[in-house]
Structure formats: C-alpha cells, structure tokens
Coordinates of all heavy atoms in Angstrom, one line a residue:
M17 N -25.0 2.7 -11.6 CA -23.6 2.6 -12.1 C -22.6 2.5 -11.0 O -22.6 3.3 -10.1 CB -23.4 3.8 -13.1 CG -22.1 3.8 -13.7 SD -21.9 5.2 -14.7 CE -21.4 4.5 -16.2
R18 N -21.7 1.5 -11.1 CA -20.7 1.4 -10.1 C -19.5 2.3 -10.4 O -19.1 2.3 -11.5 CB -20.3 -0.1 -10.0 CG -21.5 -0.9 -9.4 CD -21.0 -2.3 -9.1 NE -21.8 -3.2 -8.4 CZ -23.1 -3.4 -8.5 NH1 -23.8 -2.6 -9.3 NH2 -23.8 -4.3 -7.9
Q19 N -19.0 2.9 -9.4 CA -17.9 3.8 -9.5 C -16.7 3.4 -8.6 O -16.2 4.2 -7.8 CB -18.3 5.2 -9.2 CG -19.4 5.8 -10.1 CD -18.9 6.1 -11.5 OE1 -17.7 6.5 -11.7 NE2 -19.7 5.9 -12.5
H20 N -16.3 2.1 -8.7 CA -15.3 1.6 -7.8 C -14.0 2.3 -8.0 O -13.3 2.6 -7.0 CB -15.1 0.1 -8.1 CG -16.3 -0.7 -7.7 ND1 -17.2 -1.2 -8.6 CD2 -16.8 -1.0 -6.5 CE1 -18.2 -1.8 -8.0 NE2 -18.0 -1.8 -6.7
L21 N -13.6 2.6 -9.2 CA -12.3 3.3 -9.4 C -12.3 4.7 -8.7 O -11.4 5.0 -8.0 CB -11.9 3.4 -10.9 CG -10.6 4.1 -11.2 CD1 -9.5 3.4 -10.5 CD2 -10.4 4.2 -12.7
L22 N -13.4 5.4 -8.9 CA -13.5 6.7 -8.2 C -13.5 6.6 -6.7 O -12.8 7.3 -6.0 CB -14.8 7.4 -8.7 CG -15.1 8.8 -8.1 CD1 -14.0 9.8 -8.4 CD2 -16.4 9.3 -8.6
A23 N -14.2 5.7 -6.2 CA -14.3 5.4 -4.8 C -12.9 5.0 -4.2 O -12.5 5.5 -3.2 CB -15.3 4.4 -4.4
F24 N -12.2 4.2 -5.0 CA -10.9 3.8 -4.5 C -9.9 5.0 -4.5 O -9.1 5.1 -3.6 CB -10.3 2.7 -5.5 CG -9.0 2.1 -5.0 CD1 -9.0 1.2 -3.9 CD2 -7.8 2.5 -5.6 CE1 -7.8 0.7 -3.5 CE2 -6.6 1.9 -5.2 CZ -6.6 1.0 -4.1
K25 N -10.0 5.8 -5.5 CA -9.1 7.0 -5.6 C -9.4 8.0 -4.4 O -8.5 8.5 -3.8 CB -9.2 7.7 -6.9 CG -8.5 7.0 -8.0 CD -8.6 7.7 -9.3 CE -7.8 7.0 -10.4 NZ -7.8 7.7 -11.7
I26 N -10.7 8.2 -4.1 CA -11.1 9.0 -3.0 C -10.6 8.4 -1.7 O -10.0 9.2 -0.9 CB -12.6 9.2 -3.0 CG1 -13.0 10.1 -4.2 CG2 -13.0 9.9 -1.7 CD1 -14.5 10.2 -4.4
A27 N -10.8 7.1 -1.5 CA -10.3 6.5 -0.3 C -8.8 6.6 -0.2 O -8.2 6.7 0.9 CB -10.8 5.0 -0.3
S28 N -8.1 6.4 -1.3 CA -6.6 6.4 -1.3 C -6.0 7.8 -1.0 O -5.1 8.0 -0.2 CB -6.1 6.0 -2.6 OG -6.4 4.6 -2.9
E29 N -6.6 8.8 -1.7 CA -6.0 10.1 -1.7 C -6.6 11.1 -0.7 O -5.9 11.6 0.2 CB -6.0 10.7 -3.1 CG -5.2 9.9 -4.1 CD -5.4 10.4 -5.5 OE1 -5.9 11.4 -5.8 OE2 -5.0 9.6 -6.4
A30 N -7.9 11.2 -0.8 CA -8.6 12.2 0.1 C -8.8 11.7 1.5 O -8.7 12.5 2.5 CB -9.9 12.6 -0.5
L31 N -8.9 10.4 1.7 CA -9.2 9.9 3.0 C -7.9 9.2 3.6 O -8.0 8.6 4.7 CB -10.3 8.8 3.0 CG -11.7 9.4 2.5 CD1 -12.7 8.3 2.4 CD2 -12.2 10.5 3.4
G32 N -6.8 9.3 3.0 CA -5.6 8.8 3.5 C -5.5 7.3 3.6 O -4.9 6.7 4.5
G33 N -6.3 6.6 2.7 CA -6.2 5.1 2.7 C -7.4 4.5 3.5 O -7.5 3.3 3.4
V34 N -8.1 5.3 4.2 CA -9.2 4.7 5.0 C -10.3 4.3 4.0 O -10.8 5.1 3.2 CB -9.8 5.7 6.0 CG1 -11.0 5.2 6.7 CG2 -8.8 6.1 7.0
G35 N -10.8 3.0 4.0 CA -11.8 2.5 3.2 C -11.4 1.9 1.9 O -12.2 1.4 1.2
K36 N -10.1 1.8 1.7 CA -9.6 1.2 0.4 C -10.0 -0.3 0.4 O -10.4 -0.8 -0.6 CB -8.1 1.3 0.3 CG -7.6 2.7 -0.1 CD -6.1 2.8 -0.2 CE -5.2 1.7 -0.3 NZ -3.8 2.0 -0.5
Q37 N -9.8 -1.0 1.5 CA -10.1 -2.4 1.5 C -11.6 -2.6 1.3 O -12.0 -3.5 0.5 CB -9.7 -3.0 2.8 CG -10.0 -4.5 2.9 CD -9.1 -5.3 3.9 OE1 -8.3 -6.0 3.4 NE2 -9.4 -5.1 5.1
E38 N -12.5 -1.8 1.9 CA -13.9 -2.0 1.7 C -14.3 -1.8 0.2 O -15.2 -2.5 -0.3 CB -14.7 -1.0 2.6 CG -14.6 -1.4 4.1 CD -13.3 -1.2 4.8 OE1 -12.5 -0.4 4.2 OE2 -13.1 -1.7 5.8
V39 N -13.7 -0.8 -0.4 CA -14.0 -0.5 -1.8 C -13.6 -1.7 -2.7 O -14.3 -2.2 -3.5 CB -13.3 0.8 -2.3 CG1 -13.4 0.9 -3.8 CG2 -13.9 2.0 -1.6
L40 N -12.4 -2.2 -2.4 CA -11.9 -3.4 -3.2 C -12.7 -4.6 -2.9 O -13.0 -5.4 -3.9 CB -10.4 -3.6 -2.9 CG -9.5 -2.7 -3.6 CD1 -8.0 -3.0 -3.3 CD2 -9.6 -2.7 -5.1
L41 N -13.1 -4.8 -1.7 CA -14.0 -6.0 -1.4 C -15.3 -5.8 -2.1 O -15.8 -6.8 -2.7 CB -14.2 -6.1 0.1 CG -13.0 -6.6 0.9 CD1 -13.3 -6.5 2.4 CD2 -12.7 -8.0 0.5
H42 N -15.9 -4.7 -2.1 CA -17.2 -4.5 -2.9 C -17.0 -4.7 -4.4 O -17.8 -5.3 -5.0 CB -17.7 -3.1 -2.6 CG -19.1 -2.9 -3.1 ND1 -19.3 -2.5 -4.4 CD2 -20.3 -3.1 -2.5 CE1 -20.6 -2.4 -4.6 NE2 -21.2 -2.8 -3.5
W43 N -15.9 -4.2 -4.9 CA -15.6 -4.4 -6.3 C -15.4 -5.8 -6.6 O -16.0 -6.3 -7.6 CB -14.3 -3.6 -6.7 CG -13.8 -4.0 -8.1 CD1 -14.2 -3.6 -9.3 CD2 -12.8 -5.1 -8.3 NE1 -13.5 -4.2 -10.3 CE2 -12.7 -5.1 -9.7 CE3 -12.0 -5.9 -7.5 CZ2 -11.8 -6.0 -10.3 CZ3 -11.2 -6.8 -8.2 CH2 -11.1 -6.8 -9.5
A44 N -14.7 -6.6 -5.8 CA -14.4 -8.0 -6.0 C -15.7 -8.8 -6.0 O -15.9 -9.7 -6.8 CB -13.4 -8.5 -5.1
A45 N -16.6 -8.5 -5.0 CA -17.9 -9.2 -4.9 C -18.7 -8.9 -6.1 O -19.4 -9.8 -6.7 CB -18.6 -8.7 -3.6
A46 N -18.7 -7.6 -6.6 CA -19.5 -7.3 -7.8 C -18.9 -8.0 -9.0 O -19.6 -8.5 -9.9 CB -19.5 -5.8 -8.0
K47 N -17.6 -8.1 -9.1 CA -16.9 -8.8 -10.2 C -17.3 -10.3 -10.2 O -17.6 -10.9 -11.2 CB -15.4 -8.6 -10.0 CG -14.5 -9.3 -11.1 CD -14.5 -8.4 -12.3 CE -13.5 -8.9 -13.3 NZ -13.6 -8.3 -14.5
I48 N -17.3 -10.9 -9.0 CA -17.7 -12.3 -8.9 C -19.1 -12.5 -9.4 O -19.4 -13.4 -10.2 CB -17.5 -12.8 -7.5 CG1 -16.0 -12.9 -7.1 CG2 -18.2 -14.2 -7.3 CD1 -15.7 -13.1 -5.7
S49 N -20.0 -11.6 -8.9 CA -21.4 -11.7 -9.3 C -21.7 -11.5 -10.8 O -22.5 -12.2 -11.4 CB -22.2 -10.7 -8.5 OG -22.2 -10.9 -7.1
A50 N -20.9 -10.6 -11.4 CA -21.1 -10.3 -12.8 C -20.3 -11.1 -13.8 O -20.5 -11.0 -15.0 CB -20.7 -8.8 -13.0
S51 N -19.6 -12.1 -13.3 CA -18.7 -12.9 -14.2 C -18.9 -14.4 -14.0 O -17.9 -15.1 -13.8 CB -17.2 -12.5 -13.9 OG -17.0 -11.2 -13.9
P52 N -20.1 -14.9 -14.2 CA -20.3 -16.3 -14.0 C -19.7 -17.2 -15.1 O -19.3 -18.3 -14.9 CB -21.8 -16.5 -14.0 CG -22.4 -15.3 -14.7 CD -21.4 -14.2 -14.4
A53 N -19.4 -16.6 -16.3 CA -18.8 -17.3 -17.4 C -17.3 -17.2 -17.4 O -16.7 -17.9 -18.2 CB -19.4 -16.8 -18.7
V54 N -16.7 -16.4 -16.6 CA -15.3 -16.2 -16.6 C -14.7 -17.4 -15.8 O -15.1 -17.7 -14.7 CB -14.9 -14.9 -15.9 CG1 -13.4 -14.8 -15.8 CG2 -15.5 -13.7 -16.7
P55 N -13.6 -18.0 -16.4 CA -13.0 -19.2 -15.7 C -12.5 -18.7 -14.3 O -12.0 -17.6 -14.1 CB -11.8 -19.6 -16.6 CG -12.2 -19.0 -17.9 CD -13.0 -17.8 -17.7
D56 N -12.6 -19.6 -13.3 CA -12.2 -19.3 -12.0 C -10.8 -18.8 -11.8 O -10.5 -17.9 -11.1 CB -12.4 -20.6 -11.1 CG -13.9 -20.9 -10.8 OD1 -14.7 -20.0 -11.1 OD2 -14.2 -22.0 -10.4
D57 N -9.8 -19.5 -12.6 CA -8.4 -19.1 -12.5 C -8.2 -17.6 -12.9 O -7.5 -16.9 -12.3 CB -7.5 -20.0 -13.3 CG -7.4 -21.4 -12.6 OD1 -7.6 -21.5 -11.4 OD2 -7.1 -22.4 -13.3
R58 N -8.9 -17.3 -14.0 CA -8.7 -15.9 -14.5 C -9.3 -14.9 -13.6 O -8.7 -13.8 -13.3 CB -9.3 -15.8 -15.9 CG -9.0 -14.5 -16.6 CD -9.4 -14.4 -18.0 NE -10.4 -13.3 -18.1 CZ -11.4 -13.2 -18.9 NH1 -11.6 -14.2 -19.8 NH2 -12.1 -12.2 -19.0
L59 N -10.5 -15.2 -13.0 CA -11.1 -14.3 -12.1 C -10.3 -14.2 -10.8 O -10.1 -13.1 -10.3 CB -12.5 -14.9 -11.7 CG -13.5 -14.0 -11.0 CD1 -13.8 -12.7 -11.8 CD2 -14.8 -14.8 -10.7
K60 N -9.7 -15.3 -10.4 CA -8.8 -15.3 -9.2 C -7.6 -14.4 -9.4 O -7.2 -13.6 -8.5 CB -8.4 -16.7 -8.8 CG -7.5 -16.8 -7.6 CD -7.1 -18.2 -7.3 CE -6.1 -18.7 -8.3 NZ -5.5 -20.0 -8.0
Q61 N -7.0 -14.5 -10.6 CA -5.8 -13.7 -10.9 C -6.2 -12.2 -10.9 O -5.4 -11.4 -10.4 CB -5.3 -14.1 -12.2 CG -4.6 -15.4 -12.2 CD -4.2 -15.9 -13.6 OE1 -4.5 -15.4 -14.6 NE2 -3.4 -17.0 -13.6
E62 N -7.3 -11.8 -11.5 CA -7.7 -10.4 -11.6 C -8.0 -9.9 -10.2 O -7.5 -8.8 -9.9 CB -9.0 -10.3 -12.5 CG -8.8 -10.5 -13.9 CD -10.1 -10.5 -14.7 OE1 -11.1 -9.9 -14.3 OE2 -10.1 -11.0 -15.8
I63 N -8.7 -10.6 -9.4 CA -9.0 -10.2 -8.1 C -7.7 -10.1 -7.2 O -7.5 -9.1 -6.5 CB -10.1 -11.1 -7.4 CG1 -11.4 -10.8 -8.1 CG2 -10.2 -10.8 -5.9 CD1 -12.5 -11.8 -7.7
A64 N -6.9 -11.1 -7.3 CA -5.6 -11.1 -6.5 C -4.7 -9.9 -6.9 O -4.1 -9.3 -6.0 CB -4.9 -12.4 -6.7
A65 N -4.7 -9.6 -8.2 CA -3.9 -8.4 -8.6 C -4.4 -7.1 -8.0 O -3.6 -6.3 -7.6 CB -3.9 -8.3 -10.2
K66 N -5.7 -6.9 -7.9 CA -6.2 -5.7 -7.3 C -6.1 -5.7 -5.8 O -5.7 -4.7 -5.2 CB -7.7 -5.6 -7.7 CG -8.0 -5.3 -9.1 CD -7.8 -3.9 -9.4 CE -8.3 -3.7 -10.9 NZ -8.1 -2.4 -11.3
M67 N -6.3 -6.9 -5.2 CA -6.2 -7.0 -3.7 C -4.8 -6.8 -3.2 O -4.6 -6.5 -2.1 CB -6.9 -8.3 -3.3 CG -8.4 -8.4 -3.5 SD -9.4 -7.2 -2.7 CE -9.4 -7.8 -1.1
S68 N -3.8 -7.0 -4.1 CA -2.4 -6.9 -3.7 C -2.1 -5.4 -3.4 O -1.0 -5.1 -2.9 CB -1.5 -7.5 -4.8 OG -1.5 -6.7 -5.9
Q69 N -3.0 -4.5 -3.8 CA -2.7 -3.1 -3.5 C -2.9 -2.7 -2.1 O -2.6 -1.6 -1.7 CB -3.7 -2.2 -4.4 CG -3.5 -2.4 -5.9 CD -4.4 -1.6 -6.7 OE1 -4.9 -0.6 -6.3 NE2 -4.8 -2.1 -7.9
I70 N -3.5 -3.6 -1.3 CA -3.8 -3.3 0.1 C -3.0 -4.2 1.0 O -2.6 -5.3 0.6 CB -5.3 -3.3 0.5 CG1 -5.9 -4.6 0.1 CG2 -6.0 -2.2 -0.2 CD1 -7.3 -4.8 0.5
E71 N -2.7 -3.8 2.2 CA -2.0 -4.6 3.2 C -2.9 -5.5 3.9 O -4.0 -5.1 4.3 CB -1.3 -3.6 4.2 CG -0.3 -4.3 5.1 CD 0.3 -3.3 6.0 OE1 0.8 -2.3 5.5 OE2 0.4 -3.6 7.2
R72 N -2.6 -6.8 3.9 CA -3.4 -7.8 4.6 C -4.8 -7.9 4.1 O -5.7 -7.6 4.9 CB -3.3 -7.7 6.1 CG -1.9 -8.1 6.6 CD -1.9 -8.0 8.1 NE -1.7 -6.6 8.5 CZ -1.9 -6.1 9.7 NH1 -2.3 -6.9 10.6 NH2 -1.7 -4.8 9.9
P73 N -5.1 -8.2 2.9 CA -6.4 -8.2 2.4 C -7.2 -9.3 3.1 O -6.7 -10.4 3.4 CB -6.3 -8.5 0.9 CG -5.0 -9.1 0.7 CD -4.1 -8.5 1.8
R74 N -8.5 -9.1 3.2 CA -9.4 -10.1 3.8 C -10.1 -10.9 2.7 O -11.0 -10.3 2.0 CB -10.4 -9.5 4.8 CG -9.7 -8.8 5.9 CD -10.8 -8.1 6.8 NE -11.6 -7.2 5.9 CZ -12.3 -6.2 6.4 NH1 -12.3 -5.9 7.6 NH2 -13.0 -5.4 5.5
Y75 N -9.8 -12.1 2.6 CA -10.4 -12.9 1.5 C -11.6 -13.7 2.0 O -12.4 -14.3 1.2 CB -9.4 -13.9 0.9 CG -8.4 -13.2 0.1 CD1 -7.1 -12.9 0.6 CD2 -8.7 -12.7 -1.2 CE1 -6.1 -12.3 -0.2 CE2 -7.7 -12.0 -2.0 CZ -6.5 -11.8 -1.4 OH -5.5 -11.2 -2.2
A76 N -11.9 -13.9 3.3 CA -13.0 -14.7 3.8 C -14.3 -14.2 3.3 O -15.1 -15.0 2.9 CB -12.9 -14.7 5.3
H77 N -14.5 -12.9 3.3 CA -15.8 -12.3 2.8 C -16.0 -12.7 1.3 O -17.1 -13.1 0.9 CB -15.8 -10.8 2.9 CG -16.9 -10.1 2.3 ND1 -18.2 -10.1 2.8 CD2 -17.0 -9.4 1.1 CE1 -19.0 -9.5 2.0 NE2 -18.3 -9.0 1.0
L78 N -14.9 -12.6 0.5 CA -15.0 -13.0 -0.9 C -15.3 -14.4 -1.1 O -16.1 -14.8 -2.0 CB -13.8 -12.5 -1.7 CG -13.5 -11.1 -1.8 CD1 -12.2 -10.8 -2.5 CD2 -14.7 -10.4 -2.5
A79 N -14.6 -15.3 -0.3 CA -14.8 -16.7 -0.4 C -16.3 -17.1 -0.1 O -16.9 -17.9 -0.8 CB -13.9 -17.5 0.5
A80 N -16.8 -16.5 0.9 CA -18.3 -16.7 1.3 C -19.2 -16.2 0.1 O -20.1 -16.9 -0.2 CB -18.6 -16.0 2.6
H81 N -18.9 -15.1 -0.4 CA -19.7 -14.5 -1.5 C -19.6 -15.5 -2.7 O -20.6 -15.7 -3.4 CB -19.3 -13.1 -1.9 CG -20.1 -12.5 -3.0 ND1 -21.3 -12.1 -2.8 CD2 -19.8 -12.3 -4.3 CE1 -21.8 -11.6 -3.9 NE2 -20.9 -11.7 -4.9
A82 N -18.4 -15.9 -3.1 CA -18.3 -16.8 -4.2 C -19.0 -18.1 -4.0 O -19.6 -18.7 -4.9 CB -16.8 -17.1 -4.5
Q83 N -19.0 -18.6 -2.8 CA -19.7 -19.9 -2.5 C -21.2 -19.7 -2.6 O -21.9 -20.5 -3.2 CB -19.4 -20.3 -1.0 CG -20.0 -21.6 -0.6 CD -19.5 -22.8 -1.5 OE1 -18.3 -22.8 -1.8 NE2 -20.3 -23.7 -1.8
V84 N -21.7 -18.6 -2.2 CA -23.2 -18.3 -2.3 C -23.5 -18.2 -3.8 O -24.5 -18.7 -4.3 CB -23.6 -17.0 -1.6 CG1 -24.9 -16.5 -2.0 CG2 -23.5 -17.2 -0.1
M85 N -22.7 -17.4 -4.6 CA -23.0 -17.3 -6.0 C -22.9 -18.7 -6.7 O -23.7 -18.9 -7.6 CB -21.9 -16.4 -6.7 CG -22.1 -14.9 -6.3 SD -23.8 -14.3 -6.6 CE -23.9 -14.5 -8.4
H86 N -22.0 -19.5 -6.3 CA -21.9 -20.8 -6.9 C -23.2 -21.6 -6.6 O -23.7 -22.3 -7.5 CB -20.7 -21.6 -6.4 CG -20.6 -23.0 -6.9 ND1 -20.2 -23.3 -8.2 CD2 -20.8 -24.1 -6.2 CE1 -20.2 -24.6 -8.3 NE2 -20.6 -25.1 -7.1
S87 N -23.6 -21.5 -5.4 CA -24.8 -22.3 -5.0 C -26.0 -21.7 -5.8 O -26.9 -22.5 -6.2 CB -25.0 -22.1 -3.5 OG -26.3 -22.6 -3.1
V88 N -26.2 -20.4 -5.9 CA -27.3 -19.9 -6.6 C -27.3 -20.3 -8.1 O -28.3 -20.7 -8.6 CB -27.3 -18.3 -6.5 CG1 -28.3 -17.7 -7.5 CG2 -27.6 -17.9 -5.1
L89 N -26.1 -20.2 -8.7 CA -26.0 -20.6 -10.1 C -26.3 -22.0 -10.3 O -26.9 -22.4 -11.3 CB -24.6 -20.2 -10.7 CG -24.4 -18.7 -10.8 CD1 -23.0 -18.4 -11.2 CD2 -25.4 -18.1 -11.9
S90 N -25.8 -22.9 -9.4 CA -26.0 -24.3 -9.5 C -27.5 -24.6 -9.4 O -28.0 -25.4 -10.2 CB -25.3 -25.1 -8.4 OG -24.0 -25.0 -8.5
R91 N -28.2 -24.0 -8.5 CA -29.7 -24.2 -8.4 C -30.4 -23.7 -9.7 O -31.3 -24.3 -10.2 CB -30.3 -23.5 -7.2 CG -30.0 -24.4 -5.9 CD -30.8 -23.8 -4.7 NE -29.7 -23.1 -4.0 CZ -29.9 -21.9 -3.5 NH1 -31.0 -21.3 -3.5 NH2 -28.9 -21.4 -2.8
Y92 N -30.0 -22.5 -10.2 CA -30.5 -22.0 -11.4 C -30.3 -22.9 -12.6 O -31.3 -23.2 -13.3 CB -29.9 -20.6 -11.7 CG -30.4 -20.1 -13.1 CD1 -31.6 -19.6 -13.3 CD2 -29.5 -20.2 -14.2 CE1 -32.0 -19.1 -14.5 CE2 -29.9 -19.7 -15.4 CZ -31.1 -19.2 -15.6 OH -31.5 -18.8 -16.8
C93 N -29.1 -23.4 -12.7 CA -28.8 -24.3 -13.8 C -29.6 -25.6 -13.7 O -30.1 -26.1 -14.7 CB -27.3 -24.6 -13.9 SG -26.4 -23.2 -14.4
Q94 N -29.7 -26.2 -12.5 CA -30.5 -27.4 -12.3 C -32.0 -27.1 -12.7 O -32.6 -28.0 -13.3 CB -30.4 -27.9 -10.9 CG -29.0 -28.4 -10.5 CD -28.9 -28.7 -9.0 OE1 -29.7 -28.4 -8.2 NE2 -27.7 -29.3 -8.7
G95 N -32.5 -26.0 -12.2 CA -33.9 -25.7 -12.5 C -34.1 -25.5 -14.0 O -35.1 -26.0 -14.6
F96 N -33.2 -24.8 -14.7 CA -33.3 -24.6 -16.1 C -33.2 -26.0 -16.8 O -33.9 -26.2 -17.8 CB -32.2 -23.7 -16.6 CG -32.3 -23.3 -18.0 CD1 -33.4 -22.4 -18.4 CD2 -31.4 -23.7 -18.9 CE1 -33.5 -22.1 -19.7 CE2 -31.6 -23.4 -20.3 CZ -32.6 -22.6 -20.7
H97 N -32.3 -26.8 -16.4 CA -32.1 -28.1 -17.0 C -33.4 -28.9 -16.9 O -33.9 -29.5 -17.8 CB -31.0 -28.9 -16.3 CG -30.7 -30.2 -16.8 ND1 -30.1 -30.5 -18.1 CD2 -31.0 -31.5 -16.3 CE1 -30.1 -31.8 -18.3 NE2 -30.6 -32.4 -17.2
K98 N -34.0 -28.9 -15.7 CA -35.3 -29.6 -15.5 C -36.4 -29.0 -16.4 O -37.2 -29.8 -17.0 CB -35.8 -29.6 -14.0 CG -34.9 -30.4 -13.1 CD -35.3 -30.3 -11.7 CE -34.4 -31.0 -10.8 NZ -34.8 -30.8 -9.3
F99 N -36.4 -27.7 -16.5 CA -37.4 -27.1 -17.4 C -37.2 -27.5 -18.8 O -38.2 -27.8 -19.5 CB -37.2 -25.5 -17.3 CG -38.0 -24.8 -18.3 CD1 -39.4 -24.6 -18.1 CD2 -37.4 -24.2 -19.4 CE1 -40.1 -23.9 -19.1 CE2 -38.1 -23.5 -20.3 CZ -39.5 -23.3 -20.2
C100 N -36.0 -27.6 -19.3 CA -35.7 -28.0 -20.7 C -36.2 -29.4 -20.9 O -36.8 -29.7 -21.9 CB -34.3 -27.8 -21.0 SG -33.8 -26.0 -21.1
I101 N -35.9 -30.3 -20.0 CA -36.2 -31.7 -20.1 C -37.8 -31.8 -20.2 O -38.3 -32.5 -21.0 CB -35.6 -32.5 -19.0 CG1 -34.1 -32.7 -19.2 CG2 -36.3 -33.9 -18.9 CD1 -33.4 -33.4 -18.1
R102 N -38.4 -31.1 -19.3 CA -39.9 -31.1 -19.3 C -40.5 -30.6 -20.6 O -41.4 -31.2 -21.1 CB -40.4 -30.3 -18.1 CG -41.9 -30.3 -18.0 CD -42.4 -31.7 -17.6 NE -43.8 -31.7 -17.5 CZ -44.6 -32.7 -17.9 NH1 -44.1 -33.8 -18.4 NH2 -45.9 -32.6 -17.8
K103 N -39.9 -29.6 -21.1 CA -40.3 -29.0 -22.4 C -40.1 -30.0 -23.5 O -41.0 -30.2 -24.4 CB -39.5 -27.8 -22.7 CG -40.0 -26.7 -23.5 CD -41.2 -26.1 -23.0 CE -41.5 -24.9 -23.8 NZ -42.8 -24.6 -24.1
L104 N -39.0 -30.7 -23.5 CA -38.8 -31.8 -24.5 C -39.7 -32.9 -24.4 O -40.3 -33.4 -25.4 CB -37.3 -32.3 -24.4 CG -36.2 -31.4 -24.9 CD1 -34.9 -31.9 -24.5 CD2 -36.3 -31.2 -26.4
E105 N -40.0 -33.3 -23.2 CA -41.0 -34.4 -22.9 C -42.4 -34.0 -23.5 O -43.1 -34.8 -24.1 CB -41.1 -34.7 -21.4 CG -39.9 -35.4 -20.9 CD -39.9 -35.5 -19.4 OE1 -40.8 -34.9 -18.7 OE2 -39.1 -36.3 -18.8
L106 N -42.8 -32.7 -23.2 CA -44.1 -32.3 -23.7 C -44.1 -32.2 -25.2 O -45.1 -32.6 -25.8 CB -44.4 -30.9 -23.1 CG -44.7 -30.9 -21.6 CD1 -44.9 -29.5 -21.1 CD2 -46.0 -31.7 -21.3
S107 N -43.0 -31.8 -25.8 CA -43.0 -31.7 -27.3 C -43.0 -33.1 -27.9 O -43.7 -33.3 -28.9 CB -41.7 -31.0 -27.7 OG -41.6 -29.7 -27.3
Y108 N -42.3 -34.0 -27.3 CA -42.3 -35.4 -27.8 C -43.7 -36.0 -27.7 O -44.2 -36.6 -28.6 CB -41.3 -36.2 -27.0 CG -41.3 -37.7 -27.3 CD1 -40.8 -38.1 -28.5 CD2 -41.9 -38.6 -26.5 CE1 -40.8 -39.5 -28.9 CE2 -41.9 -40.0 -26.9 CZ -41.3 -40.4 -28.0 OH -41.4 -41.7 -28.4
T109 N -44.4 -35.8 -26.6 CA -45.8 -36.3 -26.4 C -46.7 -35.7 -27.4 O -47.5 -36.3 -28.0 CB -46.3 -35.9 -24.9 OG1 -45.3 -36.5 -24.0 CG2 -47.6 -36.5 -24.7
Y110 N -46.5 -34.4 -27.7 CA -47.4 -33.7 -28.6 C -47.2 -34.3 -30.0 O -48.1 -34.5 -30.8 CB -47.1 -32.2 -28.6 CG -47.8 -31.4 -29.7 CD1 -49.2 -31.1 -29.5 CD2 -47.2 -31.0 -30.8 CE1 -49.9 -30.4 -30.4 CE2 -47.9 -30.3 -31.8 CZ -49.2 -30.0 -31.6 OH -49.9 -29.3 -32.5
V111 N -45.9 -34.5 -30.4 CA -45.6 -35.0 -31.7 C -46.1 -36.4 -31.9 O -46.6 -36.8 -32.9 CB -44.1 -34.9 -32.0 CG1 -43.7 -35.7 -33.2 CG2 -43.6 -33.5 -32.1
R112 N -45.9 -37.2 -30.8 CA -46.4 -38.6 -30.9 C -47.9 -38.7 -31.1 O -48.4 -39.5 -31.8 CB -46.0 -39.3 -29.6 CG -45.0 -40.4 -29.8 CD -44.6 -41.1 -28.6 NE -45.6 -42.0 -28.1 CZ -45.7 -42.5 -26.9 NH1 -44.9 -42.2 -26.0 NH2 -46.7 -43.4 -26.6
R113 N -48.6 -37.8 -30.4 CA -50.1 -37.8 -30.5 C -50.6 -37.4 -31.9 O -51.6 -37.9 -32.4 CB -50.7 -36.8 -29.5 CG -50.7 -37.4 -28.1 CD -51.4 -36.4 -27.2 NE -51.2 -36.8 -25.8 CZ -51.4 -36.0 -24.8 NH1 -51.8 -34.8 -25.0 NH2 -51.1 -36.5 -23.6
R114 N -49.8 -36.5 -32.5 CA -50.2 -36.0 -33.9 C -49.7 -37.0 -35.0 O -50.2 -36.9 -36.1 CB -49.6 -34.6 -34.1 CG -50.2 -33.6 -33.1 CD -49.9 -32.2 -33.5 NE -50.0 -31.9 -34.9 CZ -51.0 -31.3 -35.5 NH1 -52.0 -30.9 -34.8 NH2 -50.9 -31.0 -36.8
A115 N -48.8 -37.9 -34.7 CA -48.3 -38.8 -35.7 C -49.4 -39.8 -36.1 O -50.1 -40.3 -35.2 CB -47.1 -39.5 -35.2
P116 N -49.5 -40.1 -37.4 CA -50.6 -41.1 -37.8 C -50.3 -42.5 -37.4 O -49.3 -43.0 -37.1 CB -50.6 -40.9 -39.3 CG -49.3 -40.3 -39.7 CD -48.8 -39.6 -38.5

C-alpha cells in the first residue's frame, strides 16, 4: 500500500522539507503507471497541481518514466492485437472446416 500523503507530510513537517520532491516524484511516477486510461491532459494537470507545491520541480524523471510506460503499453497493445487477430483466424478456419 502506498502512503504518499503520509510520506509527504513527514517530509514537510518533521524533516523540514527534505525529501518532499522525492516523495512527489515517486507519487507522480506511480500515478502515471496506474493511470493508462486517463487522458494525458487530465493526468498532466493533476501532476502539475501537486508538483507546484515544491520549488523548481524536476520533470525530466517523470518524462522518462512516461515514455517508458507508453512504450510498454504500445508493445502490450500490439501483442494483444496480434493475439486477437490470430484467434479470429483460427476460429474462421475452424468454422470453415466444419461448414458443409
């Protein structure tokens, strides 16, 4: 279970702000990974709103993570698409053979 809010509060209050950026970067990367169906603009707005809480946020790490996730999902979707087509081809062949 992720406890980003708790970690952020600890970093903010108990640690005097040390680690806030790391917590938010981890939260944002988890958000990107867990939200493949969320439109990019909405995801960007949610992340930007949270990242505005810190001074000079680093977005390069998040951009790299988003690129990797996009690549992984693209390969997954292509593989699934090929699997579905193959399944349809096999079904069609089976039906054709059984037809009188």
